[in-house]
Amino acid sequence: MTAPDPIVTNEENPARDAAAPGLKGALARYRVLAYIVGVGLLALVAAMIMRIAFDEPQYSAIVGPVHGFLYVIYLVLAVDLGLKARWPIVKTGLVLLAGMIPFVSFVAERRVTKELS
């Protein structure tokens, strides 16, 4: 019996693999959204600083709902990946929380990609 082939995703452009079926596609979709949510969270932090420090609420009024919407999509895709990778609930929960702490989504994405590749 041979070992299963490792899941290889496109490091340069993971979006190309997003339509792939199974675990490979789920990983690619998760990777794309992890980067988008990570950048969106950093933009939200900047917008909150503008609101609190400089009394400019219009930035957080725009960035906040957009990040919230993208985070919900991130949650769905992370759960999809967790189910396909057969992760325990605790690990899936930690990956879900990674989108709430600045820079952690980037770290989680790297670890998940390394683990599943």
Side-chain angles (χ1 to χ4, degrees):
M1 180 179 239
T2 62
D5 293 331
I7 298 168
V8 180
T9 60
N10 187 339
E11 287 296 319
E12 295 292 321
N13 189 359
R16 288 186 182 169
D17 293 333
L23 189 58
K24 181 177 181 179
L27 177 61
R29 289 186 294 274
Y30 165 77
R31 290 183 67 202
V32 169
L33 254 296
Y35 277 109
I36 291 171
V37 166
V39 170
L41 185 57
L42 293 176
L44 182 60
V45 168
M48 295 300 288
I49 290 170
M50 292 294 291
R51 185 179 93 186
I52 294 167
F54 301 107
D55 197 28
E56 297 286 340
Q58 68 269 20
Y59 300 112
S60 61
I62 295 170
V63 176
V66 171
H67 171 70
F69 177 74
L70 292 173
Y71 182 67
V72 170
I73 296 171
Y74 169 84
L75 293 175
V76 170
L77 295 179
V79 167
D80 178 48
L81 178 62
L83 290 172
K84 289 181 179 170
R86 298 181 183 263
W87 288 341
I89 291 175
V90 173
K91 182 172 185 171
T92 303
L94 290 173
V95 171
L96 294 176
L97 289 174
M100 296 179 70
I101 305 167
F103 299 106
V104 177
S105 67
F106 302 119
V107 174
E109 183 274 330
R110 285 282 84 197
R111 287 188 180 174
V112 166
T113 302
K114 184 178 179 182
E115 174 195 328
L116 295 177
S117 294

